[in-house]
Amino acid sequence: MTPAEIAHRDARRLAVVLREIGGAGAALGAHGWMACDLDGSWADYAAGVGVDGPVRDTTLDRLVEFYRARGRTPKIQVTPYQHPSFLEGLERRGFTVYEVETVLWRPLLELPPIAPPESLAFLPVDPSSSADCSAFRESQFAGFFADRDVPAGMGPITDRVARGPRSHLTLLRLDGSLAGSGGIEPYESVAVLIAGCVHPEARRRGVQSAFIRHRLHQAAALGATYATIGSTPGGPTERNALRCGFRPAYTQTGLRQL
């Protein structure tokens, strides 16, 4: 897989995910989707545009109008491999960077052993179980919002992820206590590692690396041929992913029109 192929495939995947669980939304171009979920939800951007040729000005005008009509800031995810007309059109409309993520990938061959820390258990989330879904939601909050308030819109979108049609989620239990969570999201031949978090009290014990390796084995068992993972540049997820055989593929950028 070339970086461009990986980027285009993931842009289409993001559009599908937004359509399936992103709340209110609308199609944008041939493969794109705009999501406008509850305030505070992460599902408040568009994706999947510019992967199959030039993008018309009318398409970008629809993007801006969709969000402005709802009192929201227009946002969209882009990569360096989307059509130049798309990126140029966003620049003309004053879109600027608000978020940068490194996307890493690796083939699912010769997988490293999981080698989890002693007493670490991987517990699959049953999407039909209210208790499992609630535990996943609370674990995500503990992992990602340990030192700040949880936005109101994060609860509903996290519940939709837990019950989503393509989510395969896992709870981590360490020394008998809930210690983290995350999952994989298969799409065509790729498995994306999503929502991985470790609670503050369980960090620096090898839990995150073991969880990445666990998900690689899980993805291979589901028939995926390669895996991807996103991270803030230079962040702990990137460092652990590199140690697990991932390599940088491209940079994904969030743009917004202020």
Side-chain angles (χ1 to χ4, degrees), residues 49-63:
V49 182
V51 300
D52 55 356
V55 177
R56 297 178 179 178
D57 280 340
T58 53
T59 299
L60 297 180
D61 290 340
R62 283 191 59 235
L63 165 70

Side-chain angles (χ1 to χ4, degrees), residues 165-185:
R166 63 186 70 250
S167 298
H168 296 259
L169 303 178
T170 301
L171 297 172
L172 307 179
R173 191 172 296 279
L174 182 68
D175 300 330
S177 299
L178 195 62
S181 56
I184 61 172
E185 192 175 86

Side-chain angles (χ1 to χ4, degrees), residues 69-130:
R70 291 160 175 80
R72 298 292 185 84
T73 299
K75 297 179 182 177
I76 192 161
Q77 295 288 320
V78 305
T79 77
Y81 301 102
Q82 285 161 287
H83 197 273
S85 63
F86 171 54
L87 303 176
E88 292 163 3
L90 293 172
E91 183 179 8
R92 289 197 303 272
R93 287 163 177 79
F95 279 76
T96 57
V97 174
Y98 74 92
E99 180 181 69
V100 177
E101 180 180 64
T102 300
V103 177
L104 304 99
W105 82 288
R106 64 154 293 162
L108 295 175
L109 300 171
E110 300 181 7
L111 297 179
I114 298 172
E118 188 175 353
S119 83
L120 178 63
F122 303 103
L123 308 174
V125 172
D126 179 356
S128 67
S129 166
S130 296

Side-chain angles (χ1 to χ4, degrees), residues 19-240:
R19 186 179 70 236
E20 290 175 342
I21 65 171
L28 186 66
H31 298 290
W33 190 264
M34 303 178 284
C36 185
D37 200 11
L38 301 173
D39 192 31
S41 166
W42 56 259
D44 64 344
Y45 61 86
V49 182
V51 300
D52 55 356
V55 177
R56 297 178 179 178
D57 280 340
T58 53
T59 299
L60 297 180
D61 290 340
R62 283 191 59 235
L63 165 70
V64 172
E65 291 164 5
F66 175 84
Y67 288 101
R68 293 299 181 195
R70 291 160 175 80
R72 298 292 185 84
T73 299
K75 297 179 182 177
I76 192 161
Q77 295 288 320
V78 305
T79 77
Y81 301 102
Q82 285 161 287
H83 197 273
S85 63
F86 171 54
L87 303 176
E88 292 163 3
L90 293 172
E91 183 179 8
R92 289 197 303 272
R93 287 163 177 79
F95 279 76
T96 57
V97 174
Y98 74 92
E99 180 181 69
V100 177
E101 180 180 64
T102 300
V103 177
L104 304 99
W105 82 288
R106 64 154 293 162
L108 295 175
L109 300 171
E110 300 181 7
L111 297 179
I114 298 172
E118 188 175 353
S119 83
L120 178 63
F122 303 103
L123 308 174
V125 172
D126 179 356
S128 67
S129 166
S130 296
D132 279 10
C133 293
S134 293
F136 177 76
R137 180 181 64 247
E138 295 308 313
S139 173
Q140 291 282 289
F141 292 171
F144 288 114
F145 299 95
D147 56 355
R148 54 196 172 108
D149 293 336
V150 179
M154 285 300 297
I157 187 64
T158 304
D159 288 340
R160 276 179 253 139
V161 170
R163 295 181 170 87
R166 63 186 70 250
S167 298
H168 296 259
L169 303 178
T170 301
L171 297 172
L172 307 179
R173 191 172 296 279
L174 182 68
D175 300 330
S177 299
L178 195 62
S181 56
I184 61 172
E185 192 175 86
Y187 179 77
E188 297 179 359
S189 62
V190 62
V192 184
L193 278 60
I194 63 168
C197 72
V198 176
H199 300 176
E201 63 275 11
R203 292 171 187 166
R204 301 185 183 280
R205 296 180 59 182
V207 173
Q208 189 184 50
S209 290
F211 189 30
I212 290 174
R213 295 191 296 267
H214 169 82
R215 286 182 286 171
L216 292 178
H217 285 262
Q218 188 181 18
L222 289 170
T225 57
Y226 73 95
T228 65
I229 189 170
S231 171
T232 54
T237 296
E238 180 181 288
R239 294 193 296 271
N240 281 297

